[in-house]
C-alpha cells in the first residue's frame, strides 16, 4: 500500500537542533510516523522529550560549532536505539551584520555549525550506514538563501548555498550505496531564526507581501516533505533541494 511507504516504524533518526523550532517539529513528525529519535542541540531538548516521551526521544547536549561531538553522537544513537537510518542536519545559526563590517567570528561560527559540522556528521552517518549494510537517509536544512543573496547575512548565505551544493556531491557518491541525500529549503518560517525580521515592521511587511501564500510558514508546514524524504517513498530521489516556501521562489 502506498501510504505504508511513508511509515517510519522501526527506524532511528538523529535530529540536530532538536530543542525548538523546526528541529522539534522534525522530531515530533518522525515519532508520530513510528521512529525513535536522538536529538542533539547546544541547549537541552527537555521540552521535546516531555512532548514525545523518553522511550521515543533521547537527547545529547552538544556544541556543533566543533567536530568534537560527532563520534559520541553516532555511538549514543547506536547504543541507545541499535542502529541509525535517518540524519536530519537541522541545527543552524544566523548572524546579521552589515556586510562591509562583517566579523571573522560571525563568519566562522555560522560556517562551522551550518556547513563544516553538517558535512562531517553526514560523512560519519554515511560510514555507519555502510557498516550496517542498510543504506539510509540524510536530509539537510537549506534556505531561500541557497538560491538568493540575502541582506546582511553573508556567512549564512555562503553556508546555505554550500548545503545545496554538497547535498548534490554527497548524493552523487553515495546514491549507489543506498544512501539518499537531499535537502529541504524552508521559506520564511515563524521560529527564533526569524524573530528579528518579524519584529521589524517594514521588513516583515515586505517579506509577507512577496509570499504568494500570504503568511509565514510554521514547523508543521515542513513535515510532509520531511516524512517523504525520510521514508522509502523517496528511495529514487537523490541530491535534490525541495523548497517548502509558500511560493516565494516562484516570484
Ligand atoms: P531556531 O533558531 O529556533 O533553531 C536553531 C537550532 O539550532 C536550535 O535547536 C539550536 O539549539 C541549534 N543550534 C544553533 N547553534 C548550535 C550549536 N552551536 N550547537 C548545537 N546546536 C545549535 O531556528 P529554526 O528556524 O528552527 O532553524 C532550524 C534550521 O532551519 C536552521 O538550519 C535554519 O537556518 C533553517 N531555516 C530556518 C528558516 C526560518 O525561516 N525559520 C528558513 C530557512 C532555513
Amino acid at each position: 500500500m502506498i501510504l505504508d511507504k511513508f511509515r517510519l516504524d522501526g527506524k532511528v533518526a538523529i535530529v540536530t537542533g532538536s530543542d525548538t523550532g523546526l528541529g522539534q517539529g522534525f522530531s515530533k513528525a518522525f515519532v508520530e510516523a513510528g521512529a525513535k529519535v536522538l536529538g542533539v542541540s547546544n541547549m537541552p531538548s527537555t521540552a521535546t522529550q516531555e512532548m514525545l516521551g523518553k522511550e521515543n526521544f533521547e537527547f545529547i547536549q552538544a556544541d556543533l560549532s566543533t567536530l568534537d561531538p560527532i563520534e559520541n553522537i553516532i555511538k549514543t544513537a547506536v547504543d541507545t536505539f541499535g542502529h541509525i537510518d535517518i540524519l536530519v542536519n537541522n541545527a543552524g545559526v544566523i548572524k546579521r551584520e552589515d556586510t562591509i563590517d562583517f566579523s571573522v567570528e560571525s563568519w566562522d561560527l555560522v560556517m562551522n555549525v551550518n556547513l563544516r559540522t553538517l558535512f562531517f556528521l553526514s560523512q560519519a552517518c554515511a560510514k555507519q550506514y555502510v557498516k550496517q549494510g542498510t543504506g539510509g537517509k540524510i536530509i539537510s536544512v537549506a534556505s531561500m538563501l541557497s538560491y538568493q543573496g540575502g541582506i546582511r547575512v553573508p556567512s549564512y548565505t555562503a553556508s546555505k548555498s554550500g548545503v545545496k551544493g554538497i547535498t548534490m556531491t554527497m548524493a552523487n557518491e553515495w546514491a549507489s550505496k543506498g544512501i539518499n541525500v537531499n535537502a529541504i529549503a524552508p521559506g520564511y518560517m515563524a521560529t527564533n531564526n526569524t524573530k528579528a525580521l518579524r519584529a521589524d515592521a517594514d521588513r516583515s511587511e515586505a517579506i509577507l507581501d512577496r509570499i504568494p501564500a500570504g503568511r509565514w510558514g510554521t514547523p508543521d508546514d515542513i513535515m510532509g516533505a520531511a516524512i517523504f524524504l525520510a521514508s522509502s517513498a523517496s528511495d529514487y530521489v537523490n541530491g535534490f533541494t525541495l523548497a517548502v516556501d509558500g511560493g516565494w521562489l516562484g516570484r
Side-chain angles (χ1 to χ4, degrees):
M1 293 286 284
I2 182 62
L3 288 182
D4 294 339
K5 281 186 166 257
F6 289 82
R7 290 216 53 92
L8 301 179
D9 298 306
K11 302 292 184 188
V12 176
I14 295 171
V15 176
T16 68
S18 51
D19 60 298
T20 182
L22 302 186
Q24 191 173 65
F26 288 119
S27 303
K28 180 168 173 281
F30 289 168
V31 167
E32 284 177 5
K36 308 282 186 196
V37 176
L38 176 73
V40 187
S41 286
N42 56 352
M43 307 298 282
S45 299
T46 321
T48 310
Q49 188 173 61
E50 278 165 13
M51 183 194 296
L52 302 178
K54 199 173 158 48
E55 68 285 9
N56 296 316
F57 179 89
E58 264 302 344
F59 67 89
I60 299 177
Q61 188 174 355
D63 178 4
L64 295 173
S65 66
T66 78
L67 304 182
D68 298 345
I70 289 177
E71 200 179 322
N72 186 44
I73 293 169
I74 303 293
K75 184 177 182 316
T76 305
V78 173
D79 288 352
T80 309
F81 296 124
H83 51 101
I84 307 168
D85 306 287
I86 301 157
L87 166 67
V88 181
N89 288 306
N90 165 76
V93 63
I94 189 163
K95 289 285 178 188
R96 293 186 166 88
E97 294 164 24
D98 289 343
T99 297
I100 194 119
D101 291 320
F102 205 80
S103 63
V104 171
E105 292 73 26
S106 294
W107 181 270
D108 287 345
L109 174 69
V110 172
M111 292 297 279
N112 285 343
V113 176
N114 295 12
L115 193 60
R116 186 170 184 259
T117 298
L118 177 148
F119 172 71
F120 285 103
L121 182 56
S122 301
Q123 184 193 59
C125 262
K127 285 184 174 165
Q128 178 64 26
Y129 296 158
V130 171
K131 189 168 147 192
Q132 291 171 185
T134 55
K137 305 279 179 176
I138 297 174
I139 304 164
S140 298
V141 178
S143 165
M144 294 296 96
L145 300 188
S146 304
Y147 304 88
Q148 300 175 318
I151 297 169
R152 305 184 72 239
V153 287
S155 57
Y156 189 80
T157 302
S159 70
K160 295 297 186 178
S161 299
V163 167
K164 180 170 174 287
I166 61 169
T167 293
M168 293 185 281
T169 310
M170 292 188 282
N172 289 343
E173 292 190 45
W174 300 343
S176 61
K177 302 180 193 303
I179 301 172
N180 295 89
V181 189
N182 292 290
I184 295 173
Y188 285 81
M189 318 299 290
T191 67
N192 297 334
N193 179 286
T194 52
K195 213 178 224 166
L197 285 181
R198 284 178 291 121
D200 178 334
D202 292 342
R203 288 281 282 135
S204 180
E205 195 185 330
I207 287 167
L208 272 177
D209 272 355
R210 196 188 181 284
I211 301 175
R215 63 173 177 86
W216 293 79
T218 68
D220 267 358
D221 287 315
I222 305 282
M223 297 314 149
I227 295 295
F228 170 59
L229 292 177
S231 70
S232 65
S234 61
D235 280 352
Y236 201 58
V237 180
N238 299 90
F240 193 67
T241 295
L242 175 58
V244 182
D245 65 351
W248 173 276
L249 284 181
R251 280 291 287 271

